[in-house]
Amino acid sequence: MNVSQHSSFQPEIGEVAYLKVVAVNDTGAFLDWGRPKDLLLPYSEQRARPPAGKRVMVMIFEDDQGRPTASMRLDDFIVDRAEGLAAGDKVCLVIGERTDLGVKAVVDHRFWGLLYHADLPRPLRRGERLEGYVRQVREDGRLDLSLTPSGAAKQQLAAQRVMDALEAHQGFLALSDKSPADVIKAQLGVSKSAFKQAIGKLYKQRKIVIEKDGIRLVKASDD
């Protein structure tokens, strides 16, 4: 489920967040983090000098006096080598900067990981929060990530995407096994092969019927 940044979102201490600068003074910048008192980003924790109105990605931590404080120096808190994770694990992602290979993301507010460009169903926004999956833990401990699960869980997700889309479109989707892969990906966020497996499974379960122009949801009264 997509958990994008919005005005009512309230990050906690120990989390990475993409926050708006609302004021700047001699102490530092102050960030809107959804609470009555703005969050201080001291000059010592800045990598650049963000003006009011700009959004910055920060880690929220407690300073020596136990006060919530922000830091743009993410590498002081986020490490490349992950521990305690395995391929297939569901994780929380905060989207970071683009690279030549893909998009960096903060995993569970503790580790860096990478989503490859070829695996992305849509463009991702910096600071976006969403669920993801560990695709692979490399020998050096670095994480390759995916937005969809693998194996049986991936098939189940594809089937659920089809059912959700049918419900949202009055029980009919103008998609079939002859539809272009990019159209299926854009509409459902899954690959064509996953879509074909999903509709085959749903057809066998008598949850859908396959028509000439698409697929239709089987209602209880249709059985």
Side-chain angles (χ1 to χ4, degrees), residues 163-216:
M163 292 297 288
D164 289 346
L166 284 166
E167 293 283 357
H169 292 84
Q170 291 75 52
F172 180 80
L173 278 180
L175 293 175
S176 71
D177 58 3
K178 295 181 176 60
S179 298
D182 58 340
V183 173
I184 294 171
K185 189 85 166 181
Q187 193 160 345
L188 299 177
V190 300
S191 68
K192 183 170 181 174
S193 62
F195 170 74
K196 290 171 67 175
Q197 290 174 0
I199 63 174
K201 177 180 178 181
L202 293 171
Y203 177 76
K204 289 178 181 178
Q205 294 174 340
R206 301 183 65 186
K207 293 183 178 180
I208 65 169
V209 291
I210 299 175
E211 300 180 351
K212 181 180 179 180
D213 299 324
I215 56 176
R216 188 174 299 277

Side-chain angles (χ1 to χ4, degrees), residues 87-170:
D89 286 352
K90 182 186 288 188
V91 289
C92 169
L93 304 179
V94 182
I95 302 303
E97 63 188 27
R98 294 172 62 88
T99 72
D100 291 339
L101 293 176
V103 179
K104 291 181 68 175
V106 179
V107 181
D108 288 344
H109 305 283
R110 296 183 295 161
F111 313 117
W112 286 112
L114 185 67
L115 290 155
Y116 289 90
H117 288 308
D119 296 333
L120 298 180
R122 60 175 177 82
L124 300 177
R125 300 186 302 276
R126 183 175 174 83
E128 188 174 353
R129 295 164 62 95
L130 65 168
E131 289 179 351
Y133 298 85
V134 176
R135 180 179 177 182
Q136 175 183 232
V137 181
R138 288 185 266 167
E139 290 185 2
D140 59 4
R142 294 173 184 261
L143 298 174
D144 290 340
L145 306 171
S146 174
L147 296 183
T148 57
S150 60
K154 188 173 184 177
Q155 292 181 17
Q156 184 177 353
L157 174 67
Q160 188 59 54
R161 292 271 179 89
V162 171
M163 292 297 288
D164 289 346
L166 284 166
E167 293 283 357
H169 292 84
Q170 291 75 52

Side-chain angles (χ1 to χ4, degrees), residues 23-54:
V24 178
N25 64 19
D26 293 341
T27 307
F30 291 84
L31 313 178
D32 178 7
W33 66 320
R35 292 167 171 79
K37 187 174 182 179
D38 294 329
L39 181 67
L40 173 63
L41 172 60
Y43 283 114
S44 60
E45 296 294 338
Q46 296 180 16
R47 296 178 59 190
R49 296 290 184 258
K54 182 178 177 61

